[in-house]
């Protein structure tokens, strides 16, 4: 995904609001007060109302964007800048790219995004339970999937591959909806990768983790030798509910 693709996909604030709304609704949106999954959208308020406890939830509530006055589009653009460029990008540079007068809100945004994206500037090593998977920024998204900025799977769209590594502090019991909802947000690292070969991904996984993680993957061949090569302490291959997985790894969803 390049800058032109970004502008085409997110031309204005309302396109970003729509994307965020549909994205959250597709990925396990629940009432932050009572945990109910029955929420109805109120177009005039731009918010959801819980049908069980009447709690009102804004588009941003419960996300990394909560409490920020910056447009959602700025957050999307900053996410794009932080993930699509291979070099580190400063808050000053993000401020310049977004054309914002005030530095403080941009600095806070960049700080929060870096925090959920794994503190890559601080050379932070992921530890504990880590989910490893590939994600894609697609640039030619089919009509029925256009609400989903990050598509997963090995499809045929033109796309930029991203290696996603996420610490998970989540329950292991997907049978219970409330229990499998993320309560603790771990750190996340995303790295743009040129291909999906083991020889490309293994060094990146080694670099991003502390060498003692318990890894979970989808069982693709790429990860077959993770444990044997002593890149991780243990490796579990599982097939997970795709929607739940995407909801966990995307910073603006938690
Ligand atoms: Zn509720
Ligand atoms: Zn989706």
């Amino acid at each position: 995904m390049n800058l032109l693709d970004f502008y085409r996909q997110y031309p204005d604030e309302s396109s970003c609001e729509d994307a965020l709304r549909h994205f959250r609704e597709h990925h396990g949106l629940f009432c932050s007060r009572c945990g109910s999954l029955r929420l109805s959208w109120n177009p005039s308020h731009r918010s959801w109302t819980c049908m069980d406890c009447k709690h009102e939830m804004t588009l941003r509530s419960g996300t990394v964007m909560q409490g920020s006055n910056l447009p959602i589009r700025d957050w999307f653009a900053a996410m794009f800048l932080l993930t699509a460029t291979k070099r580190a990008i400063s808050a000053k540079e993000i401020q310049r790219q977004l054309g914002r007068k005030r530095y403080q809100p941009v600095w806070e945004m960049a700080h929060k995004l870096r925090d959920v994206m794994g503190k890559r500037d601080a050379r932070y090593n992921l530890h504990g339970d880590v989910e490893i998977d590939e994600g894609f920024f697609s640039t030619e998204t089919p009509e029925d999937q256009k609400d989903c900025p990050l598509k997963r799977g090995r499809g045929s769209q033109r796309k930029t591959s991203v290696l996603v590594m996420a610490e998970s502090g989540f329950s292991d019991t997907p049978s219970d909806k409330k229990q499998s909802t993320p309560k603790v947000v771990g750190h996340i690292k995303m790295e743009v990768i040129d291909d999906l070969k083991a020889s490309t991904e293994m060094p990146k996984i080694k670099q991003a983790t502390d060498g003692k993680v318990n890894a979970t993957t989808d069982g693709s061949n790429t990860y077959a030798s993770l444990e044997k090569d002593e890149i991780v302490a243990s490796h579990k291959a599982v097939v997970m509910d795709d929607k739940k997985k995407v909801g966990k790894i995307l910073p603006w969803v938690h």
Side-chain angles (χ1 to χ4, degrees), residues 11-179:
D12 51 28
E13 182 68 359
S14 82
S15 61
C16 293
E17 283 187 354
D18 287 349
L20 181 60
R21 178 195 158 199
H22 287 119
F23 195 89
R24 295 194 68 184
E25 288 178 350
H26 285 174
H27 299 291
L29 181 69
F30 62 95
C31 172
S32 58
R33 184 194 281 161
C34 76
S36 170
L37 300 173
R38 303 195 314 138
L39 294 144
S40 72
W41 177 249
N42 183 338
S44 58
H45 287 209
R46 311 294 297 159
S47 67
W48 295 278
T49 303
C50 173
M51 292 163 78
D52 289 310
C53 78
K54 305 293 172 219
H55 181 57
E56 189 169 319
M57 278 177 38
T58 65
L59 273 174
R60 297 173 186 234
S61 66
T63 75
V64 70
M65 291 173 253
Q66 186 170 350
S68 163
N69 291 323
L70 290 172
I72 292 170
R73 190 162 183 253
D74 279 17
W75 284 86
F76 280 24
M79 274 286 302
F80 169 77
L81 290 169
L82 285 166
T83 48
T85 60
K86 288 190 180 182
R87 64 193 176 84
I89 182 165
S90 68
K92 262 273 173 248
E93 177 66 9
I94 293 173
Q95 180 194 15
R96 201 182 67 78
Q97 294 282 348
L98 297 178
R100 291 285 153 203
K101 274 210 179 79
R102 294 185 55 219
Y103 178 61
Q104 182 66 19
V106 176
W107 182 86
E108 281 170 17
M109 170 173 68
H111 183 81
K112 280 184 185 163
L113 284 174
R114 283 222 186 83
D115 204 44
V116 295
M117 289 165 70
K119 298 181 176 176
R120 66 174 161 191
D121 289 348
R123 302 192 144 268
Y124 176 83
N125 286 324
L126 301 178
H127 66 276
D129 295 337
V130 175
E131 286 176 24
I132 302 170
D133 206 348
E134 293 131 357
F136 301 102
F137 286 101
S138 33
T139 52
E140 282 158 351
T141 315
E143 192 58 22
D144 59 327
Q145 297 171 348
K146 69 177 193 298
D147 295 325
C148 207
L150 184 63
K151 290 296 298 174
R152 303 175 70 80
R154 296 176 185 239
S156 59
Q157 304 158 32
R158 191 159 70 87
K159 62 211 170 184
T160 301
S161 304
V162 187
L163 176 64
V164 180
M165 294 162 282
E167 289 175 352
S168 50
F170 311 111
S171 161
D172 264 330
T173 51
S175 51
D176 182 338
K177 274 212 168 67
K178 280 183 194 172
Q179 278 307 308

Side-chain angles (χ1 to χ4, degrees), residues 236-254:
K236 186 171 62 171
V238 291
V239 179
M240 284 182 284
D241 173 4
D242 212 48
K243 284 183 178 176
K244 242 175 234 157
K245 230 172 17 166
V246 179
K248 276 183 193 173
I249 62 101
L250 278 175
W252 59 70
V253 181
H254 74 71

